[in-house]
Amino acid sequence: MQTKPVDFPYPSADFTNVVLWGHTDKSREELCTLLEELEDYAGRRRDTPALVPLDADLLIWNGEVLKPKDLERPYMQGLL
């Protein structure tokens, strides 16, 4: 789903939002590490906050909402 940036303080094109739902044998920490590695592979530079080619977040883990503010965003509700 394409949306305008939300709470992003830098000029930006529209964002592409995707939700993945699944099961894994990885621990929460291992999955978060894999998500960071994926962001890095896509060119994310944490020392340049305006450059975010990919932002992969774990929002829910084993039924626990980890990022309630992100989960409440209208585009997330639409994707879910």
Side-chain angles (χ1 to χ4, degrees):
M1 174 185 290
Q2 297 288 125
T3 63
K4 298 290 181 203
V6 176
D7 296 331
F8 191 69
Y10 306 99
S12 176
D14 286 356
F15 285 10
T16 300
N17 301 282
V18 177
V19 169
L20 299 175
W21 187 280
H23 299 272
T24 182
D25 60 352
K26 304 286 186 205
S27 70
R28 178 174 161 180
E29 293 76 21
E30 289 172 316
L31 183 56
C32 287
T33 297
L34 287 172
L35 292 174
E36 284 186 7
E37 290 172 353
L38 179 63
E39 292 174 340
D40 294 344
Y41 181 78
R44 182 153 187 186
R45 295 196 40 205
R46 296 178 202 298
D47 61 339
T48 309
L51 179 61
V52 184
L54 178 66
D55 181 28
D57 295 312
L58 183 61
L59 301 182
I60 302 172
W61 179 260
N62 288 338
E64 178 187 356
V65 176
L66 306 175
K67 294 192 167 194
K69 185 177 177 181
D70 288 352
L71 200 60
E72 292 171 2
R73 293 183 174 168
Y75 64 84
M76 286 301 299
Q77 293 299 310
L79 288 167
L80 292 172

